[in-house]
Amino acid sequence: MTKLLDAQGLEILHEGHRTRLKWHRLRKRFADPLFSAEVMAEGFAAGASMELDLRVRADGGFVVLHDEELEGETTGHGPIVKKSVADLRDIRMKQGGRPLILSEDLAAMMQSTHPAALLQFDMKDDYEAIGAGGIEHLAEHFRDIAASVIISGGSLDLIVAVRQKLPHLLRGIDPTDKLYDLWRASGWKAVEIALRADLSGPTEPDTVYLHWPLILDAAREGLDMIALCHDHGRRVDAWTFTLKNAEAGFSEEEWLNFRALMALKPDQITTDEAPATERAWRRRVAS
């Protein structure tokens, strides 16, 4: 029997398996502004799983932004890696004119949260850019916080450094791009071998982040990537499944894909429309 645990865009329980709905870029709904401190506070109170992107600053701290340059998301200009806190204080997000969220702000906000809250720091820079100074900054500011934090990124060297210096934090890896390249060049067996190597490698990840179409393509060819990760004691986040029409719910194609994905038992699905996805799921399974 399928049962919805709540109506807050937090999780779905299906055939005894719990799948969290992660709020992509701190958006509970697609209409929410990117990286909103207000939405993050709501998620902290509700015990949500949320994701934000971090870019390293010139002083070794971080700012919550996705792009390498300030122009795309903010009123500022130039590469973030060359900016200090003082440079960023007067810059505003283009959406709503809100101030930028710095890592110091994050640490303050996370002192009191729901115990189930999980915040993913998706590191957009590699270890060469972040360096030991950035790792020390994370260790200093996120040593004593109430919410759980998972550090993820495409740089395996960075995640290994996190394991060594911040063992109390969870870790995530995203081998999607590499696995796509291997599939195109050498087929699914090569993908399986590479994924097994990552699962047993020095990052010791808690969660593996995989593009949901890659998961379904592999499953159609007999490779259950989620089961493989589960066999190694790792969780899987399938990203990013966002309804094209939140009010209408699943189109037929979306429903076929989402149902197939849920049958593989992902631990988490990243979405920009968490409550709408929950509602759409409830309507479909009820009928």
Side-chain angles (χ1 to χ4, degrees):
M1 179 180 178
T2 302
K3 180 183 178 183
L4 191 69
L5 293 182
D6 58 69
Q8 297 181 341
L10 298 180
E11 62 184 15
I12 294 171
L13 183 66
H14 176 53
E15 296 182 350
H17 183 78
R18 176 179 180 246
T19 298
R20 300 190 79 173
L21 297 175
K22 186 185 74 187
W23 303 0
H24 184 223
R25 298 189 191 178
L26 295 183
R27 290 199 289 202
K28 185 177 181 180
R29 302 173 180 84
F30 194 77
D32 290 333
L34 282 176
F35 305 128
S36 163
E38 291 76 19
V39 174
M40 181 165 56
E42 181 183 353
F44 281 154
S49 177
M50 299 174 286
E51 177 254 10
L52 54 79
D53 299 324
L54 286 183
R55 284 285 180 182
V56 69
R57 311 182 310 236
D59 53 20
F62 298 86
V63 61
V64 179
L65 288 170
H66 175 275
D67 296 344
E68 187 175 0
E69 307 275 337
L70 287 166
E71 283 85 349
E73 298 160 293
T74 80
T75 58
H77 302 280
I80 296 167
V81 72
K82 294 185 178 180
K83 305 296 182 180
S84 67
V85 170
D87 297 326
L88 297 173
R89 283 296 185 190
D90 293 331
I91 293 174
R92 294 293 181 263
M93 297 292 290
K94 286 182 176 178
Q95 287 183 298
R98 294 166 293 112
L100 307 186
I101 301 174
L102 305 177
S103 46
E104 293 86 348
D105 305 323
L106 278 177
M109 292 181 69
M110 297 176 73
Q111 292 305 314
S112 177
T113 68
H114 190 289
L118 174 64
L119 192 60
Q120 176 193 350
F121 292 175
D122 195 13
M123 313 299 286
K124 293 303 181 184
D125 298 292
D126 58 21
Y127 183 61
E128 183 178 357
I130 293 172
I135 298 295
E136 288 298 329
H137 178 94
L138 292 173
E140 177 184 353
H141 288 85
F142 297 96
R143 180 176 292 111
D144 300 311
I145 51 176
S148 295
V149 169
I150 181 166
I151 306 286
S152 68
S155 169
L156 296 186
D157 289 342
L158 173 63
I159 305 305
V160 170
V162 168
R163 179 180 65 81
Q164 293 171 343
K165 300 292 185 180
L166 296 90
H168 64 291
L169 297 184
L170 302 173
R171 295 176 299 281
I173 60 171
D174 187 346
T176 294
D177 289 344
K178 176 180 68 178
L179 297 181
Y180 267 127
D181 290 342
L182 279 170
W183 166 56
R184 296 185 187 103
S186 306
W188 290 112
K189 187 61 179 178
V191 169
E192 179 182 352
I193 292 170
L195 181 55
R196 286 184 183 276
D198 284 342
L199 295 171
S200 303
T203 60
E204 298 180 6
D206 173 82
T207 297
V208 181
Y209 297 87
L210 296 169
H211 196 208
W212 70 261
L214 178 66
I215 294 171
L216 292 188
D217 286 344
R220 294 185 191 105
E221 297 300 320
L223 174 58
D224 188 337
M225 301 175 82
I226 293 178
L228 179 57
C229 292
H230 286 171
D231 287 345
H232 284 75
R234 317 303 188 191
R235 298 184 181 92
V236 174
D237 177 305
W239 59 267
T240 299
F241 199 113
T242 297
L243 295 170
K244 292 180 180 177
N245 188 323
E247 293 303 315
F250 293 111
S251 67
E252 288 307 309
E253 181 181 6
E254 286 174 332
W255 174 241
L256 290 174
N257 285 329
F258 195 83
R259 185 174 62 180
L261 187 59
M262 287 293 291
L264 296 170
K265 300 187 182 326
D267 302 282
Q268 189 163 258
I269 293 175
T270 299
T271 179
D272 291 289
E273 291 283 5
T277 301
E278 228 174 65
R279 291 194 303 269
W281 172 267
R282 177 163 48 187
R283 288 199 298 265
R284 284 282 186 162
V285 297
S287 63

